[in-house]
Amino acid sequence: MPDKPIPAEPPWWTRAVVYQVYPRSFQDSDGDGVGDLGGVLQRLDHLADLGVDVLWLSPVYPSPQADNGYDISDYTDVDPLFGSLEQLDELVAALHDRGMKLVMDLVVNHTSDRHPWFLESRSSTDSPKRDWYWWRPPRVGMAPGEPGAEPTNWHSFFSGSTWELDEASGEYFLHLFDRRQPDLNWENPEVRQAVYAMMRWWLDRGVDGFRMDVINLISKDVGPDGELHDGPPLPGLPYGDASASVVCGPRVHEFLQEMHREVVAGHEATLLLVGEMPGVTVEQARLFTDPARREVDMVFQFEHVQLDHSGSKFDPHPLRMRDLKASFGRWQTGLADVGWNSLYWDNHDQPRAVSRFGDDSPRYRRDSATCLATLLHLHRGTPYVYQGEELGMANAPFGSIDGFRDVESLNHYAQAVAHGADPEEVLAALRRMSRDNARTPVQWNDSPHAGFTTGTPWIPVNPDHGEWNAAAQRNDPSSVFAHHRRLIGLRHEQPVVALGDFTMLLPDHEEVYAFTRRLDGETLLVVCNLGGSIHPLGELLPEAVGAELVLGNLGEEDPAVLRPWEARVLRV
Ligand code: TEU
């Protein structure tokens, strides 16, 4: 394959690293136990020190907090829980002063059931906003509320049916997530215009883009008379799979192109648009991220974070590293010439990467966290660092169900136990997979609540913060934090890291993940050991042995031997 020449002007985000702040768990500034914008403002030095380019802020809008802010009741304000609009403006200015950008979370597949639009829609069957949501009568011949009378058999992402009965009208409304998150009807042009107006309002305030929540679910496959179709039955559940009707539906590209025309046109050079897309395939992702189509810059795909699911995420099985390699490799190849990848291990919906893909035992926690980071940051695409990932934060030791806070975990527990599952087994799966693992407070120091709050944290701090915290790592050159800083610096300094092509090596090896990145005659060879065994690198990849070490996660020793969880970036 010929080396790729450097394109004239690659978009700025090809060299950028994004840091995700989940504000509720980042830093509390007023002692109420919940993180807030004041806290984010206090901790900007941490981000600057790390060297990231963009802050993606999970939702801070007014919300009943049924899903920690992913249930929005007002799109153009800040919830007092998190602070004020003035503080948001302050954050934009403070980030811009430091050369960083702010990307807001855009949650427009659904609103909160407390949003005025939904209250109005619900108020009567002939409300002018009735059609802003998905209202349907019971199945033909059945009474409202009768078991099985739901308009379709769809299973919600958060357990149970996707339909909730409104007693007053005898009709059901659709919610792909919790019943307090009704889906907006994007078929209605007024809905779309209201969303675009809101997006323009935020851009006018100075924000630099959007992370679009489940944006590939906005178009539903609806027939000419409004019919929606049952999905294939889900094994072991009294529901069907809605995917064929809601994932990348028939009008999704049209809607995103319209959004681009109405909101983004003219600003594309400075903004970042990332679409979160559960169930997206690599072929679809090429379409979504082809710059010529003007939809989004990159997508969050889910393939690699579902490899350890057997059907449901709460039925996990051990991950085979080979599957992980194959998946990443497919996405790298699939978006090599057209489109762009987002790279992530962690976010607020996933268990902690070091516990899931690495080894969080005392022996290998630091090494596996730095190895995973090297692997991710050296791929072609834009890396995302989730708060605490740069510190090697691990899953939390949850006890009983009372320790969990997340609506997905709580709904799943209630439903599974009601259907006869063994509570201890359900808890074991939650401890491994619950989103709350990612939501324990950021560990700033070794003080009682890790420096997160002076009050009582809304979810307990992980007791390992005495050892694992930012203060301990900031000036330690061998820390997970320092390693992230070096990786981010490398992407900024070396065009080959940002733009080089990608070739997988040793595709069938069970533990050694190796690849090259090439650009304009320069070649980097990246070698990572995703396990606790020693591998004869000299035999596997002889060219690695004499190569110059650009960055490694363990001290230099025998160049012909790859130690457990060792990662090396080499210039050949
Ligand atoms: O998540 C969408 C999504 O499909 C999953 O990650 C989901 O949250 C769950 O983990 C499936 O098991 C987005 C947000 O990131 C998430 O926090 C919200 O709860 C969800 O949308 C609804 O807005």
Side-chain angles (χ1 to χ4, degrees), residues 11-19 51-55 99 101 272 298 340-341 343 377 379 381-385 487-488 491-492 497-499:
W12 64 271
W13 35 257
T14 55
R15 315 184 83 133
V17 177
V18 183
Y19 186 93
V52 295
D53 307 275
V54 180
L55 188 168
K101 293 182 184 259
L272 175 68
M298 58 191 88
W340 191 253
N341 273 292
L343 308 169
H377 285 251
H379 276 72
T382 300
Y384 286 71
V385 179
L487 289 168
I488 294 165
R491 172 166 297 260
H492 291 156
V497 175
L499 301 169

Side-chain angles (χ1 to χ4, degrees), residues 133-138 151 163 170-173 222 225-228:
Y133 293 83
W134 294 89
W135 290 99
R136 291 290 183 278
W163 295 98
E171 290 190 340
Y172 292 83
F173 66 84
V222 54
D225 297 316
E227 25 343 335
L228 298 167

Side-chain angles (χ1 to χ4, degrees), residues 15 36 89 121 132 184 187 221 233 236 238 261 321 324 329 350 366 369-370 376 437 442 447 467 506 539 541 554:
R15 315 184 83 133
D36 48 39
D89 292 341
S121 181
W132 280 41
L184 280 166
E187 297 293 315
D221 187 8
R261 279 196 307 278
M321 285 299 179
L324 192 68
Q350 302 295 333
R366 182 245 163 232
T370 49
L376 192 80
N437 281 301
V442 172
S447 71
E467 185 181 356
L506 309 175
E539 284 164 39
L541 294 166
L554 306 183

Side-chain angles (χ1 to χ4, degrees), residues 308-330:
D308 56 0
H309 300 180
S310 346
S312 143
K313 75 184 262 183
F314 294 117
D315 185 12
H317 63 72
L319 175 79
R320 295 195 334 162
M321 285 299 179
R322 254 176 76 176
D323 294 344
L324 192 68
K325 287 170 66 168
S327 171
F328 268 112
R330 246 190 329 274

Side-chain angles (χ1 to χ4, degrees), residues 55-102:
L55 188 168
W56 150 29
L57 186 66
S58 278
V60 290
Y61 314 97
S63 159
Q65 303 289 324
D67 186 16
N68 291 356
Y70 284 89
D71 50 319
I72 298 170
S73 53
D74 180 354
Y75 284 114
T76 52
D77 204 349
V78 168
D79 196 300
L81 184 67
F82 294 121
S84 64
L85 211 44
E86 288 66 42
Q87 280 177 308
L88 202 283
D89 292 341
E90 223 183 294
L91 180 60
V92 172
L95 286 167
H96 288 177
D97 278 350
R98 292 162 189 262
M100 289 188 261
K101 293 182 184 259
L102 180 67

